[in-house]
Amino acid sequence: MEKGTKREPQIRTSYDEMNAYLVLPLVGADESWTVSEVLAALTQRGIKYGVDEKIVREMVESRTYGREICIAKGKETVNGQDGYFQYNFNLDFNQKPTIRSDGSVDYWSIHNVEIVEEGQVIAIYNEPVAGEDGMTVTGKKQPAKKGRPLPPLVGKGFERSEDGKIYRATVTGKIEMVNSRINISTIYEVYGNVDLQTGNIDFRGDVIVHGNVTSGARIKATGTITIDGTSEGCVLEANKDIILRGGMIGGERAQIKSKGNIYAKFIEYSTVEADGFIEATSAMNSTLISYDRIVFTGAHASVVGGSIYGCGGIEASTFGNNSEIKTCVCAGVHNRIAKRIQSLEAEIEQATELIRKINMSIKQFDELAKERNIDIKSDERRIALLRTRIAKNAEISTCTEELNKLNVIVEKSKRASVKVYDKVYPGVEISINDRKVRVKDMHRSVEFKLRNEKIVMVSIAGKLVD
């Protein structure tokens, strides 16, 4: 190769321009590349950032020709991190009891109440990280995603430190997070039995009884009710869940009503109603109504005597017994729901018609005022009409909300069935919606379904049973 006829260095960038590669062409024995020549070539090709002059120098001095080597690297973008809260309380409650290895059910495993103490740190706020912009080897800026701050926590029962990072409970009570709002509410806690000495309990919040509830007692709570011991012949009413770790011996006097779910070790001689589901080990001579599902869990999950209704379906190991005691098992739409839906639809129709008439009357008032050129807005008759219209609109809103909930229940009932994992005895009456069948012979592992407007019995495996 003649002196002075050097080929230009070969320079290549990666597709994302985060790396640049150099190939030094071969030169004569009495010729060589200089660092300044190579750097000038890199600059000419637009390589402006991240050039490693040490590598370039080594290539020149070691006469590394004809081999591609990475001589420049861009700066990777480091995205920022959004601010976040570190919560020092449980957000993931165990809503299902644990089945022990021997088939029994551990109702102590249900955890739906988290208690915090006054002064306890419940949350720590971590500030957002800004992030670092990146840069390509050609000098193009790669903007980093900025970390975004979070708004302060809202709710009640806690306070925030001056720097806005530490949140502490201001009361001792139950903590829960609903729709990103933290509420710490007081708890009525009984360290013993609820009996004649304690009297009845009517509390705005959650009630926890660490002992038994004796016959004749009454507990009402706007939150949850949790009873660690046995309940006997009492009345329990809660706006949320009810947990009976020791079960209920009703003595035909017990009444349990929940707008949430009900968990019980067992239920005997009681009347039970839940807007949510009911889960227990067994039920004996009781009336159970759930607007969701009823599930009996455990190795000996059974229903003997009484009447149970589960809108979304019912599951148990055994229904009835050898004595062929009458046991009514109903799934689907409860007639109470059907009647209530009809009633709500009639109320909404009547209120809507009344509002239509009110609007016509108000329009007549306004037209009359316009004709006579008078101000009629303060007329008591017009004001009374407006007030009635507001009241009826509120009534329609309330009825519509309830109607929507009931329609959801009806939708669930379309797939309702009764599952028997072990035995169903003669004397058991199965109802699904308005269809009914009485079991005449003992069957094992079957499911009752509504098919072509008839109740059919199929094996759990899916085979039709005669």
Side-chain angles (χ1 to χ4, degrees), residues 370-430:
K370 188 175 180 180
E371 287 178 8
R372 298 182 179 180
N373 195 26
I374 58 175
D375 185 3
I376 203 170
K377 290 182 180 179
S378 58
D379 187 287
E380 290 183 1
R381 292 169 297 174
R382 187 178 187 278
I383 292 173
L385 287 171
L386 290 172
R387 286 174 177 169
T388 303
R389 186 173 67 179
I390 291 170
K392 287 300 172 181
N393 275 319
E395 184 180 311
I396 289 175
S397 178
T398 301
C399 289
T400 301
E401 184 179 355
E402 184 181 352
L403 183 61
N404 289 338
K405 289 180 180 178
L406 294 179
N407 283 328
V408 169
I409 293 173
V410 171
E411 188 64 29
K412 288 180 183 178
S413 72
K414 292 180 180 179
R415 297 175 295 277
S417 69
V418 176
K419 289 185 179 180
V420 185
Y421 294 107
D422 190 6
K423 290 178 268 188
V424 56
Y425 288 90
V428 173
E429 187 176 273
I430 304 291

Side-chain angles (χ1 to χ4, degrees), residues 13 16 93 107 141 159 173 196 247 261 288 297 359 361 374 420 427:
T13 59
D16 58 0
F93 292 135
Y107 283 90
K141 186 178 179 181
E159 61 184 7
L196 290 175
N261 308 312
L288 276 63
T297 56
N359 287 337
S361 298
I374 58 175
V420 185

Side-chain angles (χ1 to χ4, degrees), residues 182-214:
I182 293 179
N183 291 321
I184 304 176
S185 55
T186 53
I187 289 179
Y188 191 102
E189 206 162 359
V190 180
Y191 292 92
N193 299 331
V194 173
D195 50 26
L196 290 175
Q197 279 190 317
T198 59
N200 294 330
I201 297 172
D202 188 347
F203 186 68
R204 295 186 61 82
D206 299 285
V207 175
I208 300 176
V209 179
H210 294 292
N212 304 321
V213 179
T214 61

